[in-house]
Each structure stands twice: as structure tokens, then as C-alpha cells.
Amino acid sequence: MDCPSVLLIYTGGTIGMIENPETGALESFNFDELLKNVPELRRFNCRISSYQFDPPIDSSDMEPALWAKIVKIINYNYDYFDGFVILHGTDTMAYTASALSFMLENLAKPVILTGSQLPIGTLRTDGKENLITAIEIAAAKHPDGTPIVPEVCIFFENELMRGNRTTKINAENFNAFRSFNYPALAKAGIHIRYDAHLIRRPDPSRPLKPHYLFDTNVVVLTLFPGIRESIVNSVLHVSGLKAVVLKTFGSGNAPQKEWLIRQLTEATERGIVIVNITQCQRGIVEMQRYGTGLQLLQAGVISGYDSTPECAVTKLMFLLGHELPPAEVRRLMNSNLAGEITKDE
Ligand code: ASP
């Protein structure tokens, strides 16, 4: 019998909480309790095993060392499972999905992150459906036995999105995530409809290459009308700083202040990599379009294309973790490594 196998990695977050009937407080469940709350899992024609973070964490406490732990678990179990489902708090799920997409080079199996806005033990929970569909996607194969979605993705509220394209957009409703600059890879209704031409195809001859190192000497600097020279100066002179994600206006524009361009030019000359992403959720940076963008290009700022902030930060930390020279970090920031930017190459 062809029975696919899925490893569930439970890191924490709201999905794994159950209301204690005595105190009313939300508490993290033990994986042994999962079957009790989601008896539907028994009906899967699928072998499901689990690994639990001990203790489970609120995703606000997620950090690169824990991403490395997740990658170690996946790498160790890679040959034994057809797919992986990561249960994760929603707050930083987009960062984790972006980081994993770079850390799991040559990934050829599904790694699907999901979570929920309401705990799995509550009556109106969105967690059950998210979990069940995520497992189904992680186990899904083509007739020739290859996985349908060999990518790091987030599944949430009926949509399967490329992980490094996602942003958390809602702290209230069930549709917590959005992929503004890349269409959904699949939509789950009565059927799960995959959009095959949007899904990355791995090179089967290349083995999984896990990466573990990050350099966190990165800052996000958001421009706003009235931003002060002394503050920009302080940020750009922070000791150890190696890269800046500069959140600009519109299609990549900044105020035309002599001091701003001088400071950015000097920072670039000191080897700091400055990446321009837009404060708009949808759209792409085009620095040649207006004089207010062109001046940034001339200062040595590079385009982040249509990167999400989560993706730009994690990609920079990932590349800097390889101790590459600034010129190489810039080149790779402008290369499409895992489907994270829209760029014809
Ligand atoms: N604070 C929680 C977390 O991110 C929220 C959630 O899971 O939705 O861990």
C-alpha cells in the first residue's frame, strides 16, 4: 500500500494550545493529546509522526538558532518522510518560512508551515482545517511519485503560498497571511487546486544542502517625512553593522536631502550593504523611475525588487552568515535564490 509519511514539527504558537477547563487559561498541548483534539487525523491514509519543541515557544521568541534546529530535524529525517508540516505561531511565521527557504538548498520535498488564530481545542478553531489540509498537501504526490509542492510554503485559510513571499497582515481574522507579489500556489476548496506552473521544480540530481549559519548584524530603517539626520547617522554607525534594509516610498524613492545621500554613499563605501524595498505591500522597486530613486542607486543602494521585509532581512542574515564579501552579498541579493523576488534571469 502506498502510504505517504509526514513529520509534524510542533514549535508552539496558538494552534497548540488548549483551554484548561479548570482555570480557563490557554496551555500548550502535548503531542499525545493531538489525536484527541483532531480525531480526523486517524482517517488519513498517511503515517504521521511528530517532533515537539520542549518547551513549545511563542513565535515572538523564534530566532536563528531555532531555525537551525528545525533544519537539523528536517535534514536528519529527510529520507524517511515524504513531507514536513511545521506548526508555528503566526506572529513570525513569515520570517521562519523565508529563512527556511534559503537554509534548505535544493529542497525536493514539501515543507508546509501552518498555525491558527484560535487554539485547536476551541470550538470555532481554524487550526483543525489548517492542520489537516497542510498534512494533505505535504503528502500529495504526482502519479509518478514526485511531490506536488517541493517548496517551503505557508498554508493558511484556504491558500497555499510560497513561504518567502508571505507577510502576516491580520491579527484578528482567519486570513492572517497574504502573498502580495506572487499568486497562491494552490487554493483549497472542495478540491485542492494546484497551479503547477507557479510551483518550483527541484533538480533531482542535486541533494539537499542544509545551511545553519546567520549573521544578525542587520537593521531595518524605515524612511518617513521628517526623518532626522542625527538618527540616520546613528543607525548607520552602529558598531558591527553589515547591512540595512531601507524601507522607502512608492517605487523605491527617498527624500532629496544632501545629507541622506552622503550618509548612504559613505555607508556603502564602508562595505555596508543597503537594500531598497518599498513600504508598499504590493509592487516592485524601480530606482530609475524617478530622480528620488535614482539618487539612491547612485549612492550604491541596491534594489530589493519586490521582496517582503521578512524575506529581505532573513536573506541578508543568511548571506552574511556565509561570510561573503559585500560585493558578493549584493550580487546574490539581486539573484533569485528560492523564488523570493520577481526577476527575469
Ligand atoms: N503569539 C502567537 C505566536 O505567534 C500568535 C499565534 O500563534 O497566532 O506564537
Side-chain angles (χ1 to χ4, degrees):
M1 187 176 72
D2 181 22
C3 168
S5 53
V6 172
L7 180 64
L8 278 183
I9 303 170
Y10 169 50
T11 67
T14 300
I15 189 166
M17 295 179 175
I18 297 175
E19 201 175 288
N20 182 317
E22 277 159 31
T23 64
L26 288 176
E27 293 172 356
S28 292
F29 67 63
N30 184 302
F31 246 98
D32 302 337
E33 296 291 308
L34 182 68
L35 270 183
K36 278 193 212 150
N37 282 280
V38 196
E40 294 87 344
L41 291 182
R42 290 206 194 89
R43 292 166 53 194
F44 265 111
N45 178 25
C46 186
R47 178 170 64 84
I48 300 170
S49 305
S50 63
Y51 180 96
Q52 178 172 355
F53 269 36
D54 188 16
I57 59 157
D58 186 292
S59 76
S60 298
D61 289 322
M62 189 47 80
E63 55 185 24
L66 295 174
W67 294 335
K69 179 173 168 166
I70 296 171
V71 167
K72 269 188 199 140
I73 295 165
I74 292 175
N75 185 41
Y76 186 75
N77 290 286
Y78 197 65
D79 293 337
Y80 307 112
F81 291 91
D82 294 303
F84 301 84
V85 171
I86 302 175
L87 298 181
H88 194 291
T90 56
D91 290 348
T92 63
M93 194 188 292
Y95 288 92
T96 298
S98 297
L100 295 182
S101 76
F102 302 120
M103 297 168 86
L104 295 165
E105 191 179 340
N106 304 331
L107 181 70
K109 296 188 177 184
V111 173
I112 314 297
L113 289 100
T114 196
S116 68
Q117 298 282 61
L118 279 176
I120 209 147
T122 58
L123 213 49
R124 291 175 50 247
T125 185
D126 51 332
K128 264 192 195 185
E129 199 186 310
N130 285 347
L131 172 59
I132 289 168
T133 311
I135 293 174
E136 199 168 329
I137 292 168
K141 292 183 191 174
H142 291 292
D144 67 358
T146 56
I148 294 183
V149 192
E151 289 206 33
V152 178
C153 297
I154 288 183
F155 177 77
F156 222 90
E157 247 265 308
N158 305 332
E159 287 214 351
L160 182 72
M161 293 158 274
R162 176 168 296 156
N164 56 31
R165 293 293 196 149
T166 57
T167 295
K168 182 171 178 181
I169 50 121
N170 209 320
E172 165 71 21
N173 295 345
F174 288 152
N175 60 342
F177 290 91
R178 195 70 72 77
S179 166
F180 287 101
N181 288 322
Y182 198 76
L185 305 185
K187 295 216 167 139
I190 291 174
H191 304 283
I192 302 177
R193 304 240 181 247
Y194 297 94
D195 214 330
H197 76 283
L198 296 172
I199 298 172
R200 280 168 70 80
R201 300 255 51 94
D203 176 351
S205 68
R206 303 176 73 192
L208 179 73
K209 189 171 173 199
H211 297 271
Y212 300 102
L213 298 178
F214 281 83
D215 183 332
T216 54
N217 284 297
V218 171
V219 74
V220 179
L221 178 59
T222 304
L223 297 181
F224 54 89
I227 191 166
R228 290 180 66 97
E229 176 175 3
S230 57
I231 291 174
V232 173
N233 185 51
S234 301
V235 170
L236 294 178
H237 283 90
V238 165
S239 151
L241 183 69
K242 293 189 182 150
V244 180
V245 174
L246 186 68
K247 292 181 78 179
T248 59
F249 309 128
S251 56
N253 306 315
Q256 300 183 84
K257 301 264 191 245
E258 183 278 327
W259 62 262
L260 178 63
I261 299 309
R262 178 170 34 81
Q263 289 208 20
L264 293 173
T265 308
E266 286 170 8
T268 304
E269 285 166 2
R270 292 196 300 277
I272 294 174
V273 178
I274 307 176
V275 182
N276 184 351
I277 65 167
T278 170
Q279 292 174 29
C280 301
Q281 287 176 309
R282 198 184 294 272
I284 192 160
V285 162
E286 289 177 276
M287 285 188 276
Q288 294 91 335
R289 195 148 167 211
Y290 297 96
T292 45
L294 192 60
Q295 53 168 357
L296 295 178
L297 197 60
Q298 287 160 348
V301 173
I302 59 168
S303 175
Y305 293 83
D306 53 354
S307 265
T308 62
E310 295 88 338
C311 177
V313 168
T314 52
K315 187 174 175 184
L316 274 172
M317 295 197 298
F318 170 79
L319 294 175
L320 292 170
H322 285 71
E323 297 185 11
L324 303 170
E328 187 60 359
V329 174
R330 291 153 164 276
R331 187 185 70 76
L332 290 169
M333 282 306 292
N334 279 182
S335 307
N336 193 355
L337 303 184
E340 73 280 10
I341 51 176
T342 303
K343 192 180 178 210
D344 300 327
E345 277 166 299

